[in-house]
Amino acid sequence: MNTESTEAKITAWLATQQQAMLDVLADLVNTDGGSYDKAGVDAVGARIKAFCESHGLKVETVKGERFGDCLRAILPHEGTAPTRGNHAANIVLMGHRDTVFPKGEPERRPFTIKDGRAYGPGVADMKAGLVMNMFVLAAFAKFGGAPGPMVGLFTGDEEIGSPEGRAVIEEEARGARVVFNSEPGRPSGNVVTGRKGGVFMVFDIEGKASHSGGNFQAGISAIGELAHKIVAIHALTDLERGITLNVGLVEGGQSVNTVAPWARGQIDLRYVKPEDREEVMAKIHEIIGRSYVPGTKARLTIKGEFNALTQDAAAKKLFGLYQGAAAEAGLKVEGEFSGGCADSGFTAQQGAPTICAVGPVGGLAHSPEEYLEISSFVPRAQAVARAVLRLEQAGL
Ligand SMILES: [Zn+2]
């Protein structure tokens, strides 16, 4: 097989697709799809499915119960390829379809283009990455040359911690050869080679109500207990090790003249090293289990979680391969560490060599100013395509 000419064909074809990419992107951005809007996230999925099927890919749907379905766009491979378990290992291009925006946002703020940048809800995070993945898959379907089976995984609930998507992602990762996660490239153009892990928790405290004027001593203040717990939890922060704790939401109480019968806090824990998670979680459990105000009781619930993205030897190889491929597309790319979490942590912890933020470059995600650098669309797609073609040479 003449991979050089396949590479030339694929990169040349991608170079002609910028307008087509923008057209699909406009459709996806203008389709509402906040994480809790299953119908919307699935409508975005229907557009992706139609595109993939019309470009020679087979699309499988893994039904989501409360959140968007997961879609697997499959490009099979004939011939030998490295295996994982008892099947050929998949080259996975991954991305999430949900956004953080409330219903109606695309109507208020539809897709627009100004001075080389595109705007609209989720334009960079990460609908442009989805479109890039779709076009890279379409290119391999059209010209062949992939060194193994490819899968485009389009999930539906990343912005809320992937409560349903996680199992599908982990299953995919266990059979993956490599994973490219197309979160937006950093404003500098860099990709992400390390991310913090995160645990999102809520704790509920039970006290006892009583009139704070007439019967003060009969009360047990859940809010008093909440205050102690917040101080103790925040004290677990260790900036040098990259461990942070933030009680970002609190509520509780009944009225100003009632000793508070209940209180609640929500905790965001971030860490760098997977082993630090257990150590900090043990301390949090101890704080939640202890009663600073005698008579209170408390309970901790984990609401969501992301694993840390760590870089093993194979992931380092993948980064080196990508960096070289990007350079040929005219991009200077370094690896950055991010405190933000993403699905790439799940794939890395399943042992799949993973690189994150290979999507088109953008910034100010989760805000109305979110933008995409249009000129990065084609070269970022070419970089991923080239990296895929050279997996074997890189020993991946
Ligand atoms: Zn994202």
Side-chain angles (χ1 to χ4, degrees):
M1 185 176 54
N2 187 341
T3 46
E4 198 149 39
S5 80
T6 307
E7 186 174 302
K9 280 184 210 156
I10 285 178
T11 52
W13 180 74
L14 287 171
T16 65
Q17 297 304 303
Q18 180 175 295
Q19 190 53 51
M21 289 174 181
L22 287 171
D23 291 344
V24 179
L25 180 61
D27 275 4
L28 297 193
V29 170
N30 289 334
T31 307
D32 221 336
S35 305
Y36 294 99
D37 177 6
K38 176 168 168 55
V41 177
D42 285 341
V44 176
R47 179 71 180 85
I48 294 171
K49 184 172 191 272
F51 176 95
C52 289
E53 285 176 345
S54 71
H55 287 80
L57 299 149
K58 200 178 128 228
V59 180
E60 247 177 46
T61 301
V62 184
K63 282 271 171 218
E65 241 168 73
R66 286 173 302 152
F67 308 114
D69 299 338
C70 289
L71 301 180
R72 297 180 75 242
I74 303 158
L75 182 61
H77 177 72
E78 280 155 31
T80 56
T83 54
R84 195 106 186 254
N86 54 3
H87 58 84
N90 294 323
I91 299 158
V92 178
L93 311 187
M94 185 167 77
H96 66 85
R97 308 194 305 280
D98 58 319
T99 73
V100 295
F101 297 101
K103 206 163 173 55
E105 189 78 0
E107 225 163 274
R108 293 187 285 274
R109 204 157 57 72
F111 180 82
T112 50
I113 290 178
K114 194 173 173 241
D115 299 332
R117 287 181 168 181
Y119 298 87
V123 68
D125 182 14
M126 59 175 285
K127 288 178 170 174
L130 301 178
V131 173
M132 185 193 83
N133 288 352
M134 290 153 68
F135 276 79
V136 170
L137 288 162
F140 279 104
K142 188 173 167 72
F143 297 103
M150 295 183 74
V151 170
L153 183 63
F154 302 91
T155 67
D157 56 1
E158 191 267 356
E159 296 290 4
I160 51 171
S162 301
E164 290 184 357
R166 178 177 180 171
V168 180
I169 291 163
E170 290 181 335
E171 172 71 20
E172 193 71 55
R174 284 192 284 274
R177 181 166 166 181
V178 289
V179 176
F180 296 90
N181 194 30
S182 302
E183 289 282 356
R186 317 298 289 175
S188 60
N190 287 345
V191 297
V192 172
T193 46
R195 285 186 185 275
K196 283 190 176 182
V199 188
F200 315 109
M201 294 162 270
V202 54
F203 60 101
D204 289 283
I205 302 169
E206 216 181 288
K208 189 165 178 285
S210 72
H211 193 294
S212 61
N215 198 17
F216 179 81
Q217 276 143 302
I220 300 172
S221 175
I223 287 180
E225 178 69 18
L226 176 71
H228 284 285
K229 286 190 184 336
I230 293 169
V231 172
I233 289 165
H234 279 183
L236 299 177
T237 291
D238 184 339
L239 292 176
E240 242 157 65
R241 289 163 70 196
I243 297 167
T244 60
L245 284 117
N246 180 51
V247 178
L249 284 171
V250 293
E251 55 186 324
Q254 180 175 294
S255 72
V256 71
N257 58 352
T258 304
V259 175
W262 71 280
R264 176 180 299 147
Q266 298 198 37
I267 312 168
D268 175 10
L269 157 67
R270 303 287 169 118
Y271 61 90
V272 178
K273 293 199 177 113
E275 59 269 26
D276 290 345
R277 179 194 180 282
E278 295 322 308
E279 185 193 314
V280 180
M281 284 304 294
K283 289 179 182 162
I284 293 173
H285 278 293
E286 197 271 317
I287 291 165
I288 299 303
R290 185 195 310 172
S291 298
Y292 299 81
V293 175
T296 56
K297 276 185 287 188
R299 173 164 57 83
L300 182 74
T301 314
I302 294 180
K303 302 295 276 185
E305 172 148 20
F306 279 111
N307 287 351
L309 172 62
T310 48
Q311 203 184 26
D312 61 9
K316 279 199 181 97
K317 256 191 214 174
L318 179 61
F319 170 70
L321 166 67
Y322 177 84
Q323 196 175 34
E328 279 182 59
L331 305 171
K332 198 180 141 8
V333 172
E334 299 293 338
E336 271 183 28
F337 187 86
S338 168
C341 299
D343 284 332
S344 46
F346 294 134
T347 61
Q349 293 314 313
Q350 293 300 316
T354 299
I355 183 169
C356 195
V358 297
V361 175
L364 302 175
H366 298 197
S367 83
E369 288 78 37
E370 177 183 10
Y371 67 89
L372 167 77
E373 299 284 6
I374 292 172
S375 63
S376 71
F377 229 144
V378 166
R380 300 288 279 203
Q382 290 171 327
V384 169
R386 274 202 177 91
V388 167
L389 285 163
R390 296 173 185 181
L391 285 172
E392 231 159 70
Q393 280 159 259
L396 285 163

